[in-house]
């Protein structure tokens, strides 16, 4: 157990739950978790004022899990949510935290999902049911959902449920639950209709509200961008490329795992970046900070805990990749920039569901957070061209170009040679490493980045979404021009492909490494633009040169001895184990 689990242990959570939290990489409880977990473990009713993004799901899921009797297969916990998306998310959260609870079962039920499958699963027995009010009522009426064994009922986003007209359904469901059950209600506001439910159905509920302390933050420009979760990485790289005054930046994420994941992805895109989490020893932490001070690193991806007290005047930008779960954390974060009399910029990514947190932060800091348009692909390209011009102009004024003039002159001596054409060809060669134009298929454009998905999230919500493989189609084998001699690992290949195309790691099949090339299986019938992007994508400084293999070629590319290394499907970028290092920017 690490020091970070101690803060969760102090709330009274069991070893099994602590182990799961260590796995998901949470470093410390959010304010709402610290306030809610102890009374919920004691069985109190609870009325919590909390918005999405504050960590409220874990605040009720963890104590609920701890109080379960795993031997009893009748539903012990019912969670009502306003939408099916939230039902699925909450069920996934339960699953994540229950990783160490053998035999645990959670079932999401919502309208529009096949009734037969739900009935079968309800019959099989489940500990927790998460559902929308309408479908839950249906099951209670059909007696397919029995509530005799129910111990806890959670109303999540109660204000949303009321707003959507579920008030009578919620009342009805509450009346059909056994007396003596624990009732937990979370709502972003405590308006009168919510209080009425509380008065009617709850016993001396504890009221939890996280008071935001007001603070002033000076010298920092605050902006926010609305970005759908799967597109955050794309948005981040666009911001990093286009922010004019960016010197060094600290990028805040919520979990230790995410620090490593995002740092790896940025490194693959050529940035000098390191991950900073509470897991690093003091010596390593200091080394990373020194490297940032000296300009050997430009970006740090950190958790709140790890960045506490960090004082590096070079930090011109704080990027809140994940929203902080309370205003205090926000204020600490943005205090990492605008130091030593310099000005700083803080950029906050919010998903559409997290928009409400903005108001909370604005009230706490008494400052407006201005909306910021995400840089478009054209803006990224413009910026690359501007940088290129600067570099050319600088070379003209400050480099000794005598030898190169000779080379150009000899080129120009060719008959019919045109200086402009020669210069254009040289510009083309110079930008090959870092193209001035973005290929058309490289990610969606601005409007798509901001939009949240309407479909339920996939099991890997942090992964960019893009083309999905044809269902059930056989994978196609491709050859790529990087191999063992280039020090490439399957992880590099999966990471690059997933990053560049938005394909999920799961849809990438077997990877076999050979000395100077490799083979990789991808979904069939990929669009030509994606294949083109992959042809040019670079791994270990080499273009992949991806091309489909014929059946004969594929058969020959089988190793005579032993099986080559296989990439672990579904885990393109392996977190953990990576030592922060100072790699120079490949610019
Ligand atoms: P919620 O407000 O429940 O929707 O949670 C928002 C996000 O915060 C989810 O992605 C959680 O996985 C994450 N989260 C919740 N609690 C913590 C914590 N203590 N540390 C880091 N991340 C957390």
């Amino acid at each position: 157990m690490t020091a970070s689990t101690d803060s969760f242990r102090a709330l009274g959570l069991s070893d099994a739950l602590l182990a799961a939290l260590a796995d998901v990489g949470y470093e410390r409880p959010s304010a709402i978790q610290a306030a809610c977990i102890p009374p919920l473990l004691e069985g109190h009713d609870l009325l919590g004022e909390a918005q999405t993004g504050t960590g409220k799901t874990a605040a009720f899921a963890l104590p609920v899990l701890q109080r379960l009797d795993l031997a009893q297969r009748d539903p012990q916990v019912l969670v009502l949510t306003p939408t099916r998306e939230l039902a699925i998310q909450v069920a996934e959260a339960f699953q994540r935290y229950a990783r160490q609870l053998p035999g645990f079962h959670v079932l999401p039920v919502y309208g529009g999902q096949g009734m037969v499958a739900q009935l079968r699963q309800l019959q099989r027995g489940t500990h927790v049911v998460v559902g929308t009010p309408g479908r839950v009522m249906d099951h209670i009426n059909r007696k397919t959902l029995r509530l005799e064994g129910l111990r806890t009922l959670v109303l999540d986003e109660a204000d949303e449920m009321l707003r959507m007209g579920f008030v009578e359904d919620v009342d009805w469901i509450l009346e059909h639950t056994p007396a003596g059950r624990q009732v937990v209600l979370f709502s972003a506001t405590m308006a009168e209709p919510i209080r009425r439910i509380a008065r009617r159905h709850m016993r001396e509920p504890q009221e939890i509200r996280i008071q935001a302390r007001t603070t002033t933050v000076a010298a920092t420009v605050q902006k926010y961008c609305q970005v759908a979760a799967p597109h955050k990485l794309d948005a981040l790289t666009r911001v990093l490329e286009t922010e004019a005054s960016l010197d060094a930046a600290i990028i805040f994420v919520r979990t230790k795992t995410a620090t490593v994941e995002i740092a790896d992805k940025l490194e693959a895109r050529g940035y000098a970046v390191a991950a900073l989490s509470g897991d690093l020893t003091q010596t390593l932490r200091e080394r990373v900070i020194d490297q940032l001070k000296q300009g050997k690193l430009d970006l740090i991806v950190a958790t709140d805990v790890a960045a506490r007290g960090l004082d590096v005047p070079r930090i011109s930008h704080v990027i809140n990749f994940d929203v902080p779960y309370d205003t205090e954390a926000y204020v600490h974060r943005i205090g990492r920039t605008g130091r030593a009399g310099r000005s700083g910029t803080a950029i906050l990514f919010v998903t559409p569901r997290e928009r409400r947190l903005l108001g909370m932060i604005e009230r706490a800091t008494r400052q407006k957070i201005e909306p910021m348009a995400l840089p478009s692909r054209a803006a990224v390209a413009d910026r690359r061209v501007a940088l290129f011009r600067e570099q050319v102009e600088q070379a003209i004024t400050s480099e000794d170009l005598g030898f190169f003039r000779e080379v150009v002159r000899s080129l120009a001596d060719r008959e019919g040679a045109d200086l402009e054409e020669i210069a254009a060809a040289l510009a083309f060669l110079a930008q090959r490493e870092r193209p001035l134009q973005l290929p058309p298929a490289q990610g969606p454009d601005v409007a798509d980045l901001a939009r949240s998905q309407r479909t339920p999230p996939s099991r890997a919500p942090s992964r960019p979404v893009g083309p999905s493989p044809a269902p059930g189609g056989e994978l196609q084998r491709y050859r790529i021009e990087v191999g063992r001699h280039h020090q490439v690992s399957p992880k590099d290949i999966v990471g690059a492909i997933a990053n560049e195309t938005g394909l999920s790691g799961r849809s990438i099949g077997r990877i076999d490494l050979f000395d100077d090339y490799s083979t990789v299986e991808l979904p069939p019938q990929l669009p030509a633009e994606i294949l083109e992007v992959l042809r040019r994508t670079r791994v270990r400084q080499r273009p992949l040169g991806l091309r489909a293999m014929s059946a004969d070629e594929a058969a020959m590319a089988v190793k005579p001895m032993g099986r080559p290394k296989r990439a672990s499907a579904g885990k393109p970028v392996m977190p953990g184990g990576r030592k922060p290092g100072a790699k120079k920017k490949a610019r």
Side-chain angles (χ1 to χ4, degrees):
M1 292 282 146
T2 62
S4 51
T5 40
D6 288 349
S7 53
F8 280 105
R9 184 189 297 280
L11 302 177
L13 293 175
S14 66
D15 284 344
L17 294 175
L18 294 177
L21 290 174
D23 267 2
V24 291
Y26 294 179
E27 288 197 312
R28 64 173 176 128
S30 72
I32 197 86
Q33 291 161 3
C36 293
I37 291 173
L40 287 178
L41 282 175
E42 284 172 16
H44 289 288
D45 282 7
L46 186 143
L47 199 53
E49 188 174 329
Q51 340 244 357
T52 298
T54 51
K56 66 179 163 59
T57 316
F60 67 76
L62 292 167
V64 151
L65 283 169
Q66 183 149 327
R67 284 163 52 82
L68 280 182
D69 173 2
L70 286 170
Q72 187 199 315
R73 301 280 289 189
D74 284 340
Q76 295 165 56
V77 179
L78 172 62
V79 183
L80 293 180
T81 64
T83 62
R84 63 183 221 145
E85 283 84 1
L86 187 60
I88 294 168
Q89 269 175 33
V90 169
E92 285 179 349
F94 267 100
Q95 204 81 61
R96 242 188 338 265
Y97 305 136
R99 217 182 272 182
Q100 309 278 343
L101 303 180
F104 169 77
H105 210 79
V106 55
L107 180 66
V109 301
Y110 43 82
Q113 182 199 32
M115 199 68 173
V116 180
Q118 280 177 20
L119 289 176
R120 201 175 321 123
Q121 283 173 303
L122 279 167
Q123 266 164 10
R124 242 182 253 152
T126 183
H127 299 104
V128 176
V129 173
V130 188
T132 47
R135 185 51 71 99
V136 165
M137 271 177 78
D138 249 15
H139 279 296
I140 298 176
N141 274 328
R142 291 169 179 239
K143 306 226 179 324
T144 41
L145 174 58
R146 312 196 62 89
L147 298 180
E148 290 84 23
L150 199 79
R151 297 176 177 193
T152 303
L153 181 102
V154 181
L155 306 174
D156 194 12
E157 302 198 352
D159 50 341
E160 275 297 294
M161 278 194 275
L162 301 199
R163 205 179 56 75
M164 291 170 71
F166 287 133
V167 68
E168 282 159 22
D169 298 1
V170 168
D171 255 337
W172 186 93
I173 294 168
L174 273 156
E175 275 157 19
H176 283 74
T177 55
R181 78 283 183 257
Q182 179 184 37
V183 181
V184 184
L185 184 156
F186 277 101
S187 172
T189 65
M190 281 295 150
E192 184 46 32
I194 305 279
R195 299 218 163 260
R196 208 161 35 236
I197 292 189
R199 275 199 302 276
R200 201 173 314 157
H201 300 285
M202 297 171 88
R203 276 170 312 163
E204 297 168 29
Q206 304 238 337
E207 285 201 37
I208 305 285
R209 179 161 177 231
I210 304 305
Q211 289 283 0
R213 256 194 278 155
T214 51
T215 337
T216 19
V217 278
T220 302
V221 179
Q222 299 180 62
K223 302 189 266 189
Y224 78 89
C225 274
Q226 181 167 313
V227 194
H231 299 310
K232 280 185 179 178
L233 186 73
D234 193 4
L236 174 65
T237 54
R238 289 190 196 188
V239 166
L240 291 175
E241 274 206 59
T242 50
E243 274 295 299
S245 57
L246 194 140
D247 185 2
I250 176 155
I251 297 153
F252 280 101
V253 295
R254 284 204 155 160
T255 62
K256 292 183 268 188
T257 336
T259 58
V260 180
E261 228 173 78
I262 308 276
D264 277 356
K265 287 179 177 166
L266 290 173
E267 188 174 47
R269 290 168 188 225
Y271 287 99
V273 54
L276 197 67
S277 78
D279 273 358
L280 294 193
T281 61
Q282 191 55 22
T283 326
L284 273 177
R285 179 175 190 274
E286 275 161 21
R287 202 163 87 199
V288 169
I289 295 170
D290 266 353
Q291 288 172 337
L292 184 70
K293 283 186 178 153
Q294 294 162 13
K296 289 184 184 156
L297 288 173
D298 296 325
L299 305 176
I300 282 195
V301 188
T303 55
D304 291 299
V305 173
R308 202 169 288 157
L310 194 96
D311 185 3
V312 179
R314 269 191 77 211
I315 298 177
S316 59
H317 282 68
V318 164
I319 297 176
N320 292 286
F321 187 86
D322 294 327
V323 291
Y325 33 57
D326 51 47
T327 53
E328 219 163 300
Y330 179 80
V331 172
H332 276 150
R333 287 180 179 189
I334 72 170
R336 299 309 110 220
T337 182
R339 296 183 87 78
R342 304 190 198 192
S343 66
T345 303
I347 297 172
L348 174 66
F349 286 177
V350 282
T351 63
R353 295 176 56 80
E354 293 163 343
R355 285 284 304 261
R356 281 187 123 137
L357 282 172
L358 275 179
M360 199 168 101
I361 296 173
E362 285 180 334
R363 279 193 298 282
T365 55
R366 294 213 192 91
Q367 268 192 38
K368 187 120 188 68
I369 306 181
E370 298 291 343
M372 163 186 167
L374 263 175
S376 63
R377 275 206 294 245
V380 174
D382 283 353
R383 177 86 186 136
R384 289 186 187 177
V385 172
L387 275 176
F388 183 67
R389 282 175 56 160
E390 246 172 61
Q391 284 171 336
V392 173
E393 278 156 19
Q394 205 179 354
I396 292 174
T397 52
S398 53
E399 299 289 341
D400 177 4
L401 298 177
F403 169 77
F404 302 93
R405 275 174 182 278
E406 276 311 309
V407 175
V408 172
R409 221 169 269 142
S410 72
L411 282 166
D413 280 348
R414 256 189 325 124
E415 208 165 313
D418 166 20
L419 270 183
E420 192 174 293
E421 199 168 27
I422 293 170
L426 293 175
F428 166 78
L429 292 173
Q431 56 95 59
R432 276 217 291 220
E433 282 276 319
R434 201 170 172 73
L436 294 176
Q437 291 167 302
L438 271 71
Q442 199 177 317
D445 219 337
V446 182
D448 309 314
L449 295 182
R451 209 170 298 135
S452 78
Q453 286 166 276
R454 294 238 49 85
T455 41
S458 71
R459 256 181 292 145
S462 61
R463 208 74 59 56
V465 289
S468 46
E474 237 186 73
L475 296 176
Q476 156 82 45
R477 213 142 188 240
Y478 289 86
R479 175 182 163 120
I480 49 178
E481 301 307 320
V482 285
R484 240 193 282 277
H485 284 170
H486 312 112
Q487 268 95 43
V488 74
S489 71
K491 180 183 115 174
D492 299 329
I493 297 170
V494 177
I497 295 176
N499 264 343
E500 292 299 328
T501 62
L503 280 168
S504 78
R506 262 173 310 181
S507 54
I508 299 170
R510 181 186 180 85
I511 290 180
D512 292 346
L513 296 186
F514 297 85
D515 284 349
D516 46 23
Y517 73 102
S518 307
T519 63
V520 53
E521 290 177 345
L522 296 176
Q525 280 138 26
L526 284 175
E529 308 90 271
I530 295 233
L531 295 177
E532 179 56 26
V533 171
L534 288 179
R535 215 169 52 70
R536 287 193 262 159
T537 297
R538 300 178 88 84
V539 173
R540 301 269 154 197
Q541 320 296 336
R542 296 175 62 85
L544 287 182
L546 176 118
R547 67 172 177 79
M549 293 174 87
S550 67
D552 287 347
E553 263 184 305
M556 277 166 59
V558 173
K559 304 205 59 186
M561 281 192 328
R563 294 306 301 166
K565 229 175 156 180
R566 191 197 191 298
S568 59
K571 272 198 186 163
V573 181
M574 241 97 67
R578 177 183 163 278
K579 287 205 185 74
K583 298 219 176 104
K584 227 20 230 157
K585 215 182 289 189
R587 276 194 182 144

